[in-house]
């Protein structure tokens, strides 16, 4: 019975997450896309159309996917962008343009991010009664409509949330390392997880919880080593 209830709840979370992202896409296409298409930031940046598929720094990930990293160039711009999103675009079939794939990959990670965030919230606030029906309100949060765009931030959120869940609940050593490494390879913003891993490492030691401090330590080391390896490479 418990397994059935959990499965039903999981299906509802996935369904509401999908609806939330689809709502974000509708809002994004009707409102955000015309704004991005008609206005440019006050600095030189490539523009991809439809603009919603790769706004802001999205074009640079697409350039790296299409032309590769420019190792010998005097302009190091391409080296600023971590490789995972470019790699994912590269392996996609050729029957859609790269910017559409970039957008669809971001949307896929957006759905996954909401599902994982709900699970993480249930762990961090066990006494609360989380309602999946309120999930669309996340679009009112600052950056919430980023779920509708092609970007590297939402995939980073996905792997960051998965890392936290691996440390706190799943506690599978290879998954902890995998999520930490992929978070860094998506965007350097994942470095903000290092102090969080430090907190759980200390908490695990104080509680004598070997699983907690062990996985927090694995996550911390994987984040640092992956970042160092990439920085050394570029």
């Amino acid at each position: 019975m418990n397994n059935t209830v959990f499965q039903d709840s999981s299906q509802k979370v996935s369904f509401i997450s999908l609806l939330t992202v689809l709502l974000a896409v509708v809002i994004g296409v009707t409102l955000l896309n015309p704004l991005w298409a008609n206005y440019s930031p006050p600095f030189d940046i490539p523009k991809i159309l439809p603009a919603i598929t790769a706004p802001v720094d999205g074009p640079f990930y697409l350039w790296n996917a299409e032309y590769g990293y420019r190792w010998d160039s005097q302009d190091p711009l391409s080296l600023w962008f971590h490789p995972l999103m470019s790699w994912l675009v590269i392996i996609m079939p050729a029957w859609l343009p790269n910017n559409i794939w970039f957008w669809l990959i971001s949307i896929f990670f957006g759905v996954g991010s909401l599902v994982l965030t709900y699970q993480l919230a249930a762990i961090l606030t066990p006494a609360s009664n989380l309602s999946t029906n309120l999930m669309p309100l996340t679009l009112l949060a600052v950056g919430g409509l980023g779920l509708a765009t092609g970007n590297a931030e939402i995939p980073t959120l996905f792997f960051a949330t998965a890392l936290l869940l691996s440390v706190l609940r799943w506690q599978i050593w290879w998954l902890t390392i995998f999520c930490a490494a992929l978070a860094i390879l998506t965007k350097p913003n994942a470095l903000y997880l290092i102090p969080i891993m430090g907190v759980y490492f200390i908490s695990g030691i104080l509680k004598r919880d070997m699983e907690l401090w062990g996985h927090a330590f694995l996550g911390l080391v994987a984040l640092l080593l992956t970042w160092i390896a990439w920085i050394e490479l570029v």
Side-chain angles (χ1 to χ4, degrees):
M1 178 65 69
N2 290 337
N3 289 337
T4 302
V5 171
F6 177 79
Q7 184 64 30
D8 290 342
S9 175
S10 177
Q11 290 175 350
K12 184 176 181 181
V13 170
S14 299
F15 179 70
I16 299 296
S17 297
L18 178 60
L19 286 183
T20 300
V21 173
L22 290 178
L23 176 60
V25 170
V26 170
I27 297 172
V29 169
T30 56
L31 297 180
L32 298 182
N33 188 65
L35 290 174
W36 277 321
N38 294 325
Y39 297 96
S40 297
F43 48 84
D44 187 27
I45 192 170
K47 182 178 287 187
I48 301 292
L49 296 176
I52 196 173
T53 62
V56 194
D57 58 1
F60 298 106
Y61 291 97
L62 293 173
W63 279 16
N64 285 342
E66 293 170 6
Y67 305 112
Y69 283 91
R70 288 169 287 287
W71 304 103
D72 300 326
S73 172
Q74 296 299 314
D75 181 4
L77 185 60
S78 75
L79 306 182
W80 296 356
F81 300 93
H82 287 209
L84 183 65
M85 288 297 286
S86 298
W87 288 345
L88 291 176
V89 170
I90 288 172
I91 65 174
M92 291 296 113
W95 40 269
L96 282 178
N98 283 342
N99 62 307
I100 301 299
W101 279 124
F102 185 75
W103 187 34
L104 293 177
I105 291 168
S106 301
I107 290 171
F108 171 81
F109 278 115
V111 176
S113 294
L114 288 179
V115 172
L116 296 185
T117 299
Y118 181 88
Q119 294 181 20
L120 182 62
I123 294 173
L124 298 178
T125 56
S128 65
N129 185 17
L130 297 173
S131 173
T132 54
N133 296 327
L134 298 177
M135 195 176 290
L137 295 179
T138 57
L139 302 183
L140 300 178
V142 176
L145 288 176
L147 292 165
T149 70
N151 62 77
E153 282 75 12
I154 298 300
T156 305
L157 174 63
F158 175 86
F159 291 117
T161 310
L163 172 59
L164 288 170
L165 283 168
S166 187
V167 169
L168 296 174
R169 169 168 287 179
W170 302 330
Q171 296 182 331
I172 303 171
W173 69 267
W174 62 264
L175 187 59
T176 299
I177 295 173
F178 184 72
C179 291
L182 290 184
I184 287 291
L185 290 175
T186 306
K187 203 170 178 70
N189 299 27
L191 289 171
Y192 64 69
L193 288 162
I194 289 177
I196 298 174
M197 293 296 104
V199 168
Y200 284 121
F201 175 71
I202 295 172
S203 176
I205 290 178
L206 293 177
K207 293 179 179 178
R208 297 183 179 180
D209 186 340
M210 184 175 180
E211 291 293 329
L212 178 58
W213 72 254
H215 279 273
F217 180 74
L218 272 179
L220 191 155
V221 170
L223 287 165
L224 277 175
L225 290 183
T226 305
W227 180 74
I228 291 171
W230 177 249
I231 293 302
E232 285 295 319
L233 178 64
V234 299

